[in-house]
Amino acid sequence: MPVLTYRDALNQALREEMQRDADVFLMGEEVGVYQGAYKVSRGLLEEFGPKRVVDTPIAELGFAGIGVGAAMAGLRPVVEFMTWNFALLALDQIINSAAKMLYMSGGQLKMPIVFRGPNGAALQLGSQHSQAWESWLAHMPGLKVVAPATPADAKGLLKAAIRDDNPVIVLEGEMLYNTKGEVPEGEHVVPIGRAEVKRAGSDVTLICHSKTVTVALKAAEQLQEQNVSAEVLDLRSLRPMDEPAILESIAKTNRAVVVEEGWPHCGVGAQVVDIIQRDAFDQLDAPVQRVTQADAPMPYNKHLERAAKASPEKVVAAARRVLYLD
Amino acid sequence: MATATAPASKDQSQAELHRRMLRQMLLIRRFEEKAAEAYALGKIGGFCHLYIGQEAVAVGSLNALRDDDYVICSYREHGQALVRGIPATAVMAELFGKATGCSRGKGGSMHLFDAGKRFMGGHGIVGGHIPLAAGLGFAIKYRDGDQLCLCYFGEAAVNIGAFHEALNMASVWKLPVIFCCENNRYGMGTAFERVAAVTDVVEHACSYDLAAELVNGMDALAVYEATTRAVDRARKGGHPTLLEVRTYRFMGHSMSDPLHGVYRTKEEVEEQRQRDPITQMAHKLIGDGVLDQAGVDALDAEVRAEVEAAVQFADQSPDPEPGALLTDVLAE
C-alpha cells in the first residue's frame, strides 16, 4: 500500500472527489495560485481550473456564506479555512446558516458542504493561533464533526464528508500534515461516526482523537514498559460519536483516560465521561480521568507551551491513577 | 392594422401587470393586518415583523423576475413570500406554527421557505443572508445559467461586515445578484443617520464597483422599472447591482414595538402614511382607466376573502407531530 503524508492523503481525497463529481469545488484563502497555505491543495488549480479552485479574499464570514449559498443551490462546496482560529469569524454562517438550514426549512434545503482546515496548537504560535475548536463545533445539532489522526483516515473521512448531504466539519491536525502512513488507493471511504481501535489493550482505554492519538500511542508504549496494556481508541468522529465502541472498550478494560487538545471545561472529554457514567457505570473500576490543555490561553514561551499541552507523560500519569498504581 | 394592435396588446399586458401588482399589494396589506390580529390573540408567537408600508418594494421588484430566479430575504419577508406565489394559506399556517406551513411549522415568521419556488428563506441574523445570496449567484454562474438572485435586506444590515464582504466578492466574481436594500430609515428603534457615517446606501456601491440605483420605494412601478434594469445587467454580464429603495414601515419594528414608539413621532408616521403605496397605485390604475373605484373595492374584497380563508386554514391545521422535533436535523 502506498505511503503518503497526511497532507497528500487529503490532496488525494480532494482530487478524487473533484474528478468524481463536477459539483464539488474548493474555495478559500490561498488554495489556488499559492497551492494552499499548507499545500493541501497542491496541483488542484492546474488540474481543475479557477472555476473549481477559487481563491478568496481574506473574508471568512463572507466566503463561508457564499459556500453555504452555493450548497443551497445544490453544489458541494469544500470551504478551506487557513486555520480554524480564523473560522471563528465564519461561525455565524456555519452555525446560524449551515447547521439550521435543513431544519428551519422543514426539510427542504439540504446542506452538502464541507468546512475544513487545521485545528489545534502547532508550535509557539501564541494564544490566537493555537486553539482546538472541536467542543464548540460538536455541540451543534445539524453538523457532523470529524477529526482524523492518520493519513488513511484523513483521506477516507474527507471523501465521506464531501459525499455527505450535511455540513461536515473536518478538523485537520496542523502538526499532522507531515506525518506518514499507508493510504489505500482509490475508493477508500471511512464512514462518519465510527471510532477505531488503533492499538488493542486490556488494562485501560485511552480515548482520543486527532493529534492526541499520537500522544496516546506514545503513552501506550511507555505503559507497556510498565506492564500495563493500554487500548487506544481513536474516536475519529466527534458528532456523531461512536458510543458502542466506547462502551465495548470499557467493558473490556473497566478503566479510561480521555485525552484531547482542547480545554477541560465543557470539553469533548466531558461528553465521553457522560456516556461512560451513564451506560457503563457498573463496569468502571475507577473514576475516569481526563488529560487536556491547561485551562489558560496558549502561552508563547516554549517551556510554558509544553507544560500547557497534553503529553504522553501526562497520559501515563493519568492511566496510573485510574489503575491505582500511584 | 398589425401596427395598431401591437400597442393595444402591450397596453393590455401593462394594464394586467398593474392590476396584478395592486392585487398583490392589497394581499400583503390585508394579510399583515390579519397577522397582527392573530398575534394579539396568541395564535402567532415569537417575533413577527410586519411589512405594512413597504408593499411596493416586494411587489415592484419580484414582478421583474422569472420563476427560475432565486429570492432570499431577511426576517421581514411575509410580503415577498406571498408575491413569490407561496399560498397565503401556507404562509399563515407557518406563522401559526402548523404542519401545513411552508416550513412545516419549524421555521415561523422569520424562516419562510419554498424551495420549489426558489424562495430560499427568511433569515434572522441581520445581514447574515447577504453572503448566501452571493453564493446562490455563484452557483448560477458555476452552472453557466442565466438566472439571478434577488436579495432583500434592511438599511441596518449595511453596517454589518457580511454586507461588505458579499458585495466585494459578488463584484470581483461578477455574480448575478441584485442587492435590494429596503431603507425604511430605522433599524429597530435607531434612526440610520445616528449610526451610519454614509447615509445614502447607494454610495456603498462605489467601494465595490457595483451598478447602483436610488429608487422611490413607495412607487411600485418605479421599483419595477429599476429592478428590470438590474435584471438585464445580471442576465447579460452577471453584473451585480445595489438598489437602495427608500420606503417606510407604518408599523413598529415587530409586534412588541408600538406604532411609532419613542424613536419617531406620530406626525412623521402620519406624514408617511399620506404616501401610502397602495393608495398611489390605486389612483394610478383609476387614472389610467384600468379600474374604477368599484373595481379596486372588488379586488380588495377578493383578497380579504383569501386572507380570511388562510386564517381559517391555519387555525384548523394540525400542529406538527411530536416526532417532528427530531426529524430534519440531518439529511439521511
Side-chain angles (χ1 to χ4, degrees):
Chain A
M1 201 182 295
V3 172
L4 293 181
T5 60
Y6 187 95
R7 163 188 296 114
D8 289 340
L10 291 164
N11 179 275
Q12 195 173 85
L14 284 168
R15 175 174 282 110
E16 288 176 7
E17 293 307 300
M18 289 178 76
Q19 287 167 347
R20 181 176 175 269
D21 184 347
D23 284 343
V24 177
F25 70 96
L26 175 67
M27 73 189 313
E29 295 154 4
E30 311 290 6
V31 297
V33 174
Y34 192 85
Q35 307 283 303
Y38 292 92
K39 302 292 177 265
V40 170
S41 56
R42 185 160 46 204
L44 297 182
L45 175 66
E46 289 69 20
E47 182 170 348
F48 298 103
K51 180 174 139 181
R52 298 183 66 195
V53 181
V54 184
D55 278 323
T56 66
I58 300 174
E60 284 81 7
L61 173 64
F63 70 73
I66 288 177
V68 172
M72 290 169 86
L75 295 182
R76 308 187 80 85
V78 178
V79 175
E80 174 173 317
F81 295 116
M82 197 181 288
T83 108
W84 274 94
N85 298 293
F86 304 163
L88 210 59
L89 289 158
L91 278 191
D92 178 47
Q93 294 302 347
I94 297 171
I95 288 167
N96 277 320
S97 297
K100 290 165 181 62
M101 198 68 73
L102 184 73
Y103 197 83
M104 66 186 187
S105 70
Q108 293 179 73
L109 289 179
K110 288 180 183 167
M111 189 43 57
I113 188 168
V114 172
F115 297 104
R116 49 159 288 270
N119 174 64
L123 291 171
Q124 286 195 274
L125 298 183
S127 294
Q128 293 180 333
H129 283 69
S130 308
Q131 305 173 90
W133 294 105
E134 46 267 54
S135 66
W136 286 46
L137 296 158
H139 186 60
M140 298 306 305
L143 297 181
K144 293 184 179 182
V145 181
V146 300
T150 65
D153 286 345
K155 176 179 176 182
L157 283 169
L158 180 53
K159 284 172 79 82
I162 292 170
R163 295 182 191 187
D164 204 289
D165 277 339
N166 296 289
V168 183
I169 307 293
V170 180
L171 300 169
E172 299 163 7
E174 190 163 337
M175 295 298 283
L176 296 175
Y177 283 129
N178 280 332
T179 59
K180 290 183 179 170
E182 290 190 333
V183 178
E185 287 182 278
E187 190 70 3
H188 168 62
V189 181
V190 174
I192 295 171
R194 301 251 185 92
E196 186 179 67
V197 174
K198 289 289 199 277
R199 174 185 172 125
S202 54
D203 295 335
V204 58
T205 303
L206 310 178
I207 301 170
C208 48
H209 64 274
S210 187
K211 201 167 69 196
T212 60
V213 174
T214 316
V215 172
L217 284 170
K218 280 184 186 156
E221 279 172 33
Q222 292 176 21
L223 287 164
Q224 191 65 54
E225 289 163 13
Q226 301 169 29
N227 293 320
V228 172
S229 167
E231 175 148 301
V232 175
L233 180 67
D234 176 4
L235 291 171
R236 297 198 293 191
S237 170
L238 304 173
R239 180 184 266 272
M241 197 177 272
D242 192 347
E243 300 193 10
I246 295 169
L247 298 173
E248 193 181 321
S249 184
I250 299 300
K252 189 162 66 164
T253 64
N254 311 111
R255 291 174 166 88
V257 174
V258 193
V259 194
E260 67 185 297
E261 282 189 86
W263 293 295
H265 197 83
C266 300
V268 170
Q271 181 64 30
V272 175
V273 171
D274 173 63
I275 292 165
I276 294 172
Q277 66 82 24
R278 183 160 24 86
D279 292 329
F281 187 78
D282 291 337
Q283 287 154 358
L284 277 184
D285 287 344
V288 179
Q289 294 283 332
R290 293 175 60 200
V291 175
T292 68
Q293 185 187 327
D295 202 11
M298 188 64 84
Y300 166 70
N301 175 276
K302 65 181 172 187
H303 303 295
L304 291 179
E305 184 185 55
R306 194 176 305 137
K309 288 175 170 175
S311 65
E313 293 70 31
K314 289 179 185 173
V315 176
V316 168
R320 292 181 63 85
R321 278 200 297 281
V322 299
L323 286 152
Y324 299 111
L325 292 172
D326 288 328
Chain B
M1 292 299 284
T3 49
T5 54
S9 154
K10 191 183 168 205
D11 286 351
Q12 202 176 357
S13 72
Q14 282 282 82
E16 191 44 50
L17 171 69
H18 296 171
R19 186 183 170 282
R20 183 168 76 237
M21 287 167 75
L22 177 63
R23 188 188 190 283
Q24 289 169 335
M25 290 165 79
L26 283 165
L27 175 65
I28 297 171
R29 180 69 55 94
R30 301 308 170 218
F31 183 95
E32 297 289 60
E33 288 166 355
K34 276 289 173 196
E37 271 179 47
Y39 195 93
L41 293 170
K43 305 264 186 191
I44 299 172
F47 294 129
C48 185
H49 310 88
L50 302 182
Y51 201 61
I52 292 175
Q54 302 183 209
E55 294 92 342
V57 187
V59 169
S61 50
L62 284 170
N63 275 287
L65 261 57
R66 290 196 322 230
D67 288 347
D68 60 346
D69 293 325
Y70 289 109
V71 178
I72 189 164
C73 305
S74 75
Y75 45 81
R76 193 183 302 283
E77 88 288 30
H78 305 169
Q80 283 88 347
L82 292 167
V83 180
R84 194 57 180 168
I86 308 181
T89 45
V91 179
M92 192 64 85
E94 189 59 38
L95 303 192
F96 278 50
K98 297 301 183 71
T100 52
C102 59
S103 304
R104 297 190 202 164
K106 287 181 166 179
S109 164
M110 296 189 287
H111 306 303
L112 305 173
F113 283 85
D114 189 329
K117 297 197 184 304
R118 298 206 159 189
F119 192 83
M120 309 310 267
H123 296 267
I125 309 297
V126 170
H129 66 295
I130 304 176
L132 305 187
L136 290 159
F138 182 95
I140 291 165
K141 184 161 184 177
Y142 190 91
R143 291 175 166 145
D144 299 320
D146 73 337
Q147 302 87 5
L148 57 88
C149 178
L150 174 54
C151 174
Y152 297 90
F153 51 92
E155 84 292 334
V158 170
N159 288 328
I160 290 254
F163 166 81
H164 297 271
E165 295 184 19
L167 260 63
N168 180 50
M169 282 180 266
S171 184
V172 170
W173 296 333
K174 294 282 174 278
L175 304 179
V177 183
I178 301 170
F179 298 97
C180 180
C181 176
E182 296 192 67
N183 184 352
N184 68 17
R185 299 173 47 182
Y186 297 91
M188 204 164 156
T190 303
F192 193 49
E193 60 270 18
R194 292 177 57 217
V195 290
V198 172
T199 51
D200 290 331
V201 172
V202 275
E203 288 190 18
H204 286 292
C206 302
S207 302
Y208 306 108
D209 192 27
L210 260 65
E213 205 166 329
L214 179 62
V215 190
N216 174 7
M218 297 313 228
D219 179 348
L221 294 177
V223 177
Y224 174 77
E225 284 154 17
T227 310
T228 301
R229 288 188 285 273
V231 165
D232 287 344
R233 278 190 293 272
R235 290 212 206 287
K236 281 175 189 156
H239 199 88
T241 298
L242 173 63
L243 295 177
E244 179 186 356
V245 186
R246 297 258 171 99
T247 181
Y248 198 84
R249 70 172 147 71
F250 295 165
M251 308 294 281
H253 165 73
S254 68
M255 291 306 297
S256 58
D257 179 28
L259 205 57
H260 48 84
V262 294
Y263 57 91
R264 55 184 191 178
T265 62
K266 193 176 170 191
E267 290 70 32
E268 178 185 304
V269 178
E270 280 312 310
E271 190 188 321
Q272 290 294 331
R273 280 181 174 279
Q274 301 307 310
R275 303 170 61 219
D276 190 313
I278 299 183
T279 312
Q280 290 191 52
M281 190 71 178
H283 282 164
K284 167 157 178 65
L285 263 68
I286 292 169
D288 289 351
V290 175
L291 283 176
D292 54 14
Q293 187 58 48
V296 173
D297 293 345
L299 268 188
D300 196 27
E302 203 178 296
V303 299
R304 281 177 191 277
E306 186 176 336
V307 169
E308 191 53 50
V311 170
Q312 280 191 19
F313 173 83
D315 216 15
Q316 289 162 9
S317 286
D319 285 319
E321 296 291 330
L325 173 65
L326 296 177
T327 60
D328 305 322
V329 177
L330 291 172
E332 295 304 320

